[in-house]
């Protein structure tokens, strides 16, 4: 019986690489360097940083509303003013020998002026607006911290996903190598008439059964690498060489930090409470100072000369009497938004408490599963050693040996999954405490 491999494997073996193609050297990373790269290259973190910078710019623009505004004006106007013809003097102009045409004419006016405006008193509106802008910057900083933790833990989970897929692939490749060696051994024994045709069929069946699993494991590794590359801001096809992680140190529960999600919601509450002061100030009198100084002349040579200088100083009070209930609507809207944020914070606090207790239980379970998987793997390794000795002595059949081989590989796969699951549970616990993966 000849072994016929699937077309996919045949194509991989027979298709030559493109001429001039040069394999890209894999990028070597451990978890620490992967997290450091994500901090600098992840697009979501860059967007969160940009939001913080946006809020800082908002502080500057808000503060400008409370500072003096100075404007320089240069103007040229040419006009024909006939308002004198509509006055009482036009009716008596004929008595003085003046015609209407002599009273009007086109005139040119040149103006050069500096204008100054300054808010004087707004019942705390401008100062409160600046405070809210500063709160907004802090709120954006909390949002950045949340995004950073989400991204870093996403990278850590993607890193574990690659290691898990690679471990599964290694186990399956080991099964295939073992199956190929077993086929070779059975054929040799068949020629020596120490094995049967049934033994050969069983060995070849085991080898053919591993091939689809190997293809699936390879696809899972490629998919996991693409996800990790995306988190790191790399091209999805970038080859990576990841360092193994070993077992995490199991110690006392780390001290947690304030969850940035809760701090962000509390900051939003403070912003809405401060906004109430701004709404109230809109209903009170406001005082503004405006001043101007410059020159106005009909000829350019008279500019910047006396007596063509002109100036004006005024203090203006504005007292809103009725705004169509606009302020009342704003207050109701602000109160409702404050209540929404408050309830969202309360709900999030409960969710965080549940998340922390769940993470603690999952970590305890992962520790127990890892210990059980290690013991089970040690047992299956010893059982496989004894099965091989028994098969060499003819005490068991090839089917028994194949089952022992399969049990050992499954135990190895479970051991590696339990080890990575312990890391995953540790990461979940640190995330629930508001801490980065490492």
């Amino acid at each position: 019986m000849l072994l016929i491999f699937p077309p996919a494997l045949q194509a991989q073996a027979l298709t030559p690489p493109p001429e001039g193609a040069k394999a890209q050297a894999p990028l070597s990373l451990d978890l620490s360097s992967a997290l450091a790269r994500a901090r600098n290259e992840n697009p979501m973190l860059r967007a969160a940083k940009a939001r913080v910078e946006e809020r800082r710019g908002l502080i500057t623009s808000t503060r400008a509303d409370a500072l003096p505004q100075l404007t320089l004006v240069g103007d040229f106007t040419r006009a024909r003013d006939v308002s004198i013809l509509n006055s009482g003097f036009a009716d008596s102009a004929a008595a003085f020998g003046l015609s209407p045409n002599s009273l009007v004419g086109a005139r040119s006016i040149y103006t050069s002026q500096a204008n100054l405006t300054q808010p004087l008193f707004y019942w705390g509106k401008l100062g409160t607006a600046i405070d809210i802008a500063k709160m907004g910057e802090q709120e954006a900083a909390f949002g950045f911290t949340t995004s950073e933790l989400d991204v870093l833990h996403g990278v850590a989970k993607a890193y574990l996903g690659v290691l898990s897929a690679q471990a599964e692939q290694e186990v399956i490749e080991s099964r295939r190598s073992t199956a190929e060696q077993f086929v070779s051994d059975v054929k040799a024994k068949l020629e020596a008439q120490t094995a049967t045709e049934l033994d050969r069929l069983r060995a070849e069946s085991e080898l053919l059964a591993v091939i689809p699993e190997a293809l699936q494991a390879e696809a899972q590794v490629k998919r996991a690498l693409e996800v990790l590359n995306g988190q790191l801001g790399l091209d999805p096809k970038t080859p990576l060489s990841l360092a193994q992680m070993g077992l995490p140190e199991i110690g006392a529960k780390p001290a947690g930090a304030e969850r940035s999600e809760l701090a962000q919601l509390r900051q939003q509450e403070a912003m809405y409470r401060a906004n109430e002061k701004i709404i109230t100030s809109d209903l009170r009198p406001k005082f503004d100072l405006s001043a101007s100084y410059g020159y106005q002349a009909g000829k350019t040579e008279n500019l910047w000369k006396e007596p063509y200088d002109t100036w004006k100083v005024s203090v203006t009070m504005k007292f809103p009497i009725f705004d169509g209930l606009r302020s009342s609507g704003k207050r109701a809207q602000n109160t409702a938004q404050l209540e929404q944020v408050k309830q969202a914070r309360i709900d999030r606090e409960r969710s965080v408490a549940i998340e922390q207790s769940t993470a603690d239980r999952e970590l305890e379970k992962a520790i127990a599963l890892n210990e059980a998987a290690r013991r089970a793997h040690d047992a299956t390794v010893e059982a496989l050693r004894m099965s091989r000795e028994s098969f060499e002595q003819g005490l068991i059949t090839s089917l028994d040996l194949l089952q022992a081989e399969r049990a050992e590989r499954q135990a190895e796969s479970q051991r590696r999954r339990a080890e990575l699951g312990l890391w995953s549970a540790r990461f979940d616990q640190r995330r629930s405490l508001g801490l980065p993966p490492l």
Side-chain angles (χ1 to χ4, degrees):
M1 177 179 178
L2 297 178
L3 290 178
I4 308 266
F5 292 95
L9 292 184
Q10 296 179 16
Q12 293 176 6
L14 298 178
T15 303
E19 295 184 2
K22 184 178 180 181
Q24 182 180 358
L27 178 62
S28 298
L29 292 172
D30 58 11
L31 182 57
S32 297
S33 59
L35 296 177
R37 184 178 183 88
R39 281 190 173 97
N40 297 324
E41 303 296 335
N42 186 274
M44 297 302 296
L45 283 185
R46 288 184 171 183
K49 290 179 182 177
R51 284 193 289 271
V52 176
E53 295 298 326
E54 176 191 1
R55 295 297 179 87
R56 289 174 181 166
L58 182 60
I59 294 175
T60 303
S61 62
T62 304
R63 185 181 287 115
D65 293 336
L67 299 177
Q69 307 295 311
L70 181 62
T71 307
L72 296 178
V73 178
D75 178 73
F76 167 73
T77 302
R78 185 169 177 81
R80 185 172 184 268
D81 188 2
V82 297
S83 58
I84 193 172
L85 299 179
N86 299 315
S87 65
F89 177 74
D91 297 333
S92 59
F96 298 95
L98 298 176
S99 64
N101 290 333
S102 64
L103 297 178
V104 296
R107 292 178 174 84
S108 297
I109 301 296
Y110 298 90
T111 303
S112 177
Q113 194 173 57
N115 296 325
L116 174 71
T117 59
Q118 170 65 57
L120 293 180
F121 187 67
Y122 272 60
W123 296 92
K125 177 179 180 179
L126 299 178
T128 304
I130 296 173
D131 292 339
I132 291 177
K134 293 179 179 179
M135 293 179 191
E137 179 193 11
Q138 188 64 37
E139 190 262 347
F142 288 134
F144 170 77
T145 302
T146 301
S147 298
E148 183 181 38
L149 288 175
D150 289 340
V151 167
L152 294 182
H153 281 275
V155 169
K157 289 298 184 71
Y159 192 99
L160 293 181
V162 173
L163 293 182
S164 178
Q166 289 177 342
E168 187 69 20
Q169 186 183 34
E170 290 175 5
V171 170
I172 294 176
E173 288 298 328
S174 178
R175 279 183 56 194
R176 183 162 67 174
S177 299
T178 302
E180 291 173 350
Q181 182 62 40
F182 189 64
V183 168
S184 178
D185 294 343
V186 170
K187 285 183 178 180
K189 291 183 179 182
L190 185 61
E191 293 177 357
Q193 296 184 351
T194 56
T196 65
E197 184 68 17
L198 179 60
D199 293 332
R200 182 182 65 81
L201 292 175
R202 286 172 175 170
E204 292 177 346
S205 175
E206 175 69 13
L207 175 59
L208 290 175
V210 174
I211 292 175
E213 297 181 18
L215 292 174
Q216 182 180 3
E218 182 181 3
Q220 290 176 346
V221 170
K222 290 181 178 179
R223 170 60 180 166
L225 285 171
E226 290 173 354
V227 172
L228 179 58
N229 279 327
Q231 294 275 14
L232 297 178
L234 296 171
D235 184 88
K237 301 300 181 183
T238 302
L240 299 176
S241 176
L242 304 184
Q244 296 296 325
M245 299 179 61
L247 283 173
E249 297 181 1
I250 304 301
K253 181 178 178 180
E258 182 185 19
R259 288 290 292 263
S260 55
E261 303 96 315
L262 299 178
Q264 185 177 9
L265 291 172
R266 292 192 184 97
Q267 196 70 21
Q268 291 177 5
E269 288 185 59
M271 292 169 66
Y272 282 119
R273 291 191 178 97
N275 192 48
E276 178 70 21
K277 186 175 182 180
I278 293 180
I279 296 174
T280 302
S281 67
D282 288 337
L283 297 175
R284 295 178 176 176
K286 302 174 184 62
F287 296 88
D288 293 286
L289 170 68
S290 61
S292 63
Y293 180 81
Y295 294 87
Q296 193 174 61
K299 297 180 181 180
T300 55
E301 57 267 22
N302 293 329
L303 284 174
W304 304 295
K305 296 180 181 178
E306 294 183 356
Y308 296 96
D309 56 325
T310 177
W311 58 269
K312 178 182 178 182
V313 177
S314 64
V315 175
T316 305
M317 183 191 73
K318 297 179 181 179
F319 195 164
I321 302 300
F322 180 71
D323 63 354
L325 301 179
R326 181 181 291 106
S327 298
S328 177
K330 288 183 178 180
R331 181 176 286 107
Q333 181 182 10
N334 188 75
T335 302
Q337 291 173 337
L338 174 60
E339 184 64 21
Q340 292 176 29
V341 173
K342 181 180 178 181
Q343 296 303 322
R345 177 183 56 79
I346 294 173
D347 180 71
R348 187 58 181 160
E349 286 175 345
R350 294 170 180 169
S351 300
V352 166
I354 295 173
E355 181 182 344
Q356 291 176 349
S357 59
T358 302
D360 293 341
R361 290 192 296 267
E362 291 297 321
L363 180 59
E364 293 177 2
K365 184 173 72 173
I367 293 173
L369 288 175
N370 180 65
E371 184 64 25
R374 292 178 61 191
R375 298 291 180 87
H377 178 255
D378 293 341
T380 54
V381 169
E382 179 63 19
L384 177 60
R385 185 189 65 80
M386 296 177 61
S387 296
R388 285 173 177 168
E389 293 178 354
S390 299
F391 181 74
E392 293 294 333
Q393 298 172 7
L395 300 178
I396 61 174
T397 65
S398 60
L399 179 60
D400 296 328
L401 181 57
L402 284 175
Q403 290 176 345
E405 293 276 2
R406 187 180 296 113
E408 190 275 334
R409 297 307 173 193
Q410 290 176 349
E412 170 67 11
S413 177
Q414 291 175 356
R415 184 190 69 80
R416 292 193 177 187
R417 284 200 298 266
E419 184 179 294
L420 295 175
L422 183 57
W423 276 106
S424 179
R426 185 63 179 271
F427 292 155
D428 289 339
Q429 184 191 52
R430 291 183 65 84
R431 180 64 185 93
S432 68
L433 297 174
L435 300 175
L438 295 179

